[in-house]
Amino acid sequence: MAVKIAVLPGDGIGPEIVREAVKVLDVLNSHFALEASYEEASIGGAGFEADGNPYPDATKKLAHASDAVLLGAVGGPQWEGLEKPLRPEAGLLGIREDLGLFANYRPTKVHSQLLDASTLKPEVIDGVDILVVRELVSGIYFGQPRGIEIVDGERRGYNTMAYRESEVRRIARKAFEAARLRSNRVCSVEKANVLEVSELWRSVVVELHQSEFSDVELSHLYVDNAAMQLIRNPKQFDVIVTGNLFGDILSDEASMLTGSIGMLPSASIGEQFAMYEPIHGSAPDIAGQDVANPLATILSVAMMLRFSLARADLAEKVELAVEQVLDSGLRTADLNFAGETPVSCSAMGSAVCAALEALA
Ligand code: IPM
Ligand code: MG
């Protein structure tokens, strides 16, 4: 069955890492009979440069007409002075909202070959396998009112953290469903000791658990404690479900258990659409140097194959190819702690492609 993928490289290292992911898709087409076609469009700072809009209409149209979206990264210092709706981040938040991508899956799996790449002790992280399920289109990122106003002659900035119970229920449902396919444990993270929005979050999660998911083990942590527990004993976690802001913070923290944020893929899923992107940013400091790690983007393709293209068989092949390349000792600069010569972004991508071809 032919599938269409919208490819949105974005800014900074986005184009380099996406190029490697597309090379992997090419191998899946040529050697594994995946019938994927791709079309590129701009987003973020690139969207602003091309169209004056970080989420151009043409990109929106393409995303709506595709089976899945593959995104690199957005952002860069040259756009920081723009007004908020024109900044690259507004493009990313815009596409998430427009496509209704409420469920953001961020798996953190420690690759045994990379145990030494983490700043934590190997025995603490060996075997870590956590899935952060982050609510992505509501909460304080989108809540109204928001702004900066003048009060008593000084500026006052404010945002609103708000969740409707239906929004909590749908993300909690995704977390419980995911847990059933893993180790069957969900930890819901909020700040119910202080915030009303979290009090509601917790009661909705408890209600859903009692009515439909009582077979899943449910626990609750305040976000400050969760941040601490992630470092103290990360193996206690299976699925973590949390709101937009807490999920943003905890998923970056969880990523460092693996040694490099350059390894972590993500999937953002809605009722109708899905988008796949590495969880790291655009890394403008190393952009254009062919030194970035493309594995998070390549592993995002694996998530796409599994969730959007119904090709779990090919997802496994891509993941296996990545493992084999790591086994062979290849490391991009972010993973290279032994002092060997790191490989380039394109060499890493080519190595995964070669490993994949050998699996055909
Ligand atoms: C992420 C990023 C984004 C977010 C930024 C770039 C807007 O940090 O995907 O985690 O905060 O969601
Ligand atoms: Mg983030």
Side-chain angles (χ1 to χ4, degrees):
M1 191 188 77
V3 293
K4 182 168 174 182
I5 300 168
V7 175
L8 315 181
D11 310 320
I13 58 170
E16 303 160 48
I17 54 178
V18 164
R19 196 174 303 130
E20 300 313 310
V22 169
K23 269 160 62 176
V24 167
L25 283 165
D26 284 338
V27 172
L28 294 171
N29 276 340
S30 60
H31 288 67
F32 296 87
L34 178 73
E35 291 175 56
S37 63
Y38 349 107
E39 196 174 326
E40 226 178 82
S42 58
I43 194 152
F48 175 77
E49 297 304 334
D51 195 55
N53 177 355
Y55 183 33
D57 287 341
T59 305
K60 184 172 177 166
K61 221 170 134 197
L62 174 65
H64 282 253
S66 301
D67 295 290
V69 178
L70 178 66
L71 185 134
V74 303
Q78 63 270 53
W79 301 294
E80 266 162 26
L82 291 173
E83 43 176 314
K84 206 121 168 278
L86 299 178
R87 278 187 224 155
E89 292 75 14
L92 182 57
L93 298 182
I95 192 170
R96 287 174 180 171
E97 185 182 32
D98 174 51
L99 300 181
L101 308 176
F102 68 90
N104 181 216
Y105 298 83
R106 298 188 161 188
T108 291
K109 205 167 178 170
V110 170
H111 298 260
S112 55
Q113 309 92 330
L114 300 178
L115 278 182
D116 290 333
S118 176
T119 50
L120 297 188
K121 295 195 183 96
E123 64 268 27
V124 174
I125 57 165
D126 192 13
V128 161
D129 184 359
I130 301 171
L131 177 66
V132 176
V133 179
R134 168 189 177 193
E135 198 292 323
L136 202 60
V137 295
S138 183
I140 197 166
Y141 272 54
F142 293 90
Q144 295 289 345
R146 62 192 294 161
I148 299 176
E149 61 183 11
I150 304 286
V151 176
D152 299 332
E154 63 173 351
R155 287 171 299 164
R156 173 179 179 270
Y158 56 99
N159 289 85
T160 302
M161 190 187 278
Y163 274 109
R164 289 169 180 251
E165 51 182 321
S166 55
E167 292 172 329
V168 178
R169 205 173 291 119
R170 67 181 182 178
I171 192 71
R173 176 180 301 285
K174 294 293 182 196
F176 285 128
E177 286 170 356
R180 277 183 176 160
L181 303 173
R182 299 169 44 97
S183 300
N184 215 33
R185 288 180 291 127
V186 169
C187 177
S188 169
V189 172
E190 24 68 358
K191 188 72 183 171
N193 51 343
V194 178
L195 305 176
E196 283 79 3
V197 57
S198 290
E199 205 180 304
L200 177 79
W201 177 286
R202 186 179 290 211
S203 69
V204 173
V205 170
V206 167
E207 281 160 22
L208 182 68
H209 177 249
Q210 283 170 354
S211 61
E212 293 180 46
F213 294 96
S214 53
D215 57 301
V216 181
E217 191 184 314
L218 173 65
S219 60
H220 308 271
L221 282 182
Y222 301 139
V223 63
D224 50 347
N225 189 13
M228 190 259 279
Q229 295 296 338
L230 263 177
I231 299 298
R232 194 185 74 84
N233 176 19
K235 277 183 249 184
Q236 70 186 283
F237 294 108
D238 179 24
V239 174
I240 293 175
V241 63
T242 189
N244 208 339
L245 179 63
F246 300 155
D248 180 46
I249 298 166
L250 293 180
S251 61
D252 266 34
E253 190 190 1
S255 78
M256 276 326 269
L257 302 172
T258 69
S260 173
I261 197 168
M263 292 300 299
L264 294 207
S266 83
S268 305
I269 313 261
E271 305 295 351
Q272 245 186 303
F273 300 105
M275 182 163 87
Y276 300 84
E277 57 176 312
I279 86 155
H280 60 70
S282 58
D285 53 322
I286 57 164
Q289 298 172 26
D290 196 23
V291 298
N293 184 348
L295 294 181
T297 319
I298 290 171
L299 291 169
S300 298
V301 167
M303 291 188 90
M304 174 189 292
L305 288 161
R306 193 170 276 123
F307 290 155
S308 284
L309 307 183
R311 292 302 302 265
D313 58 325
L314 297 187
E316 277 165 27
K317 294 260 193 311
V318 171
E319 286 161 354
L320 181 58
V322 167
E323 291 300 320
Q324 289 178 346
V325 166
L326 291 174
D327 283 340
S328 76
L330 246 49
R331 303 283 184 268
T332 41
D334 56 309
L335 300 174
N336 185 37
F337 289 84
E340 298 109 3
T341 312
V343 299
S344 65
C345 177
S346 50
M348 183 59 105
S350 298
V352 174
C353 289
L356 197 53
E357 283 176 23
L359 292 171

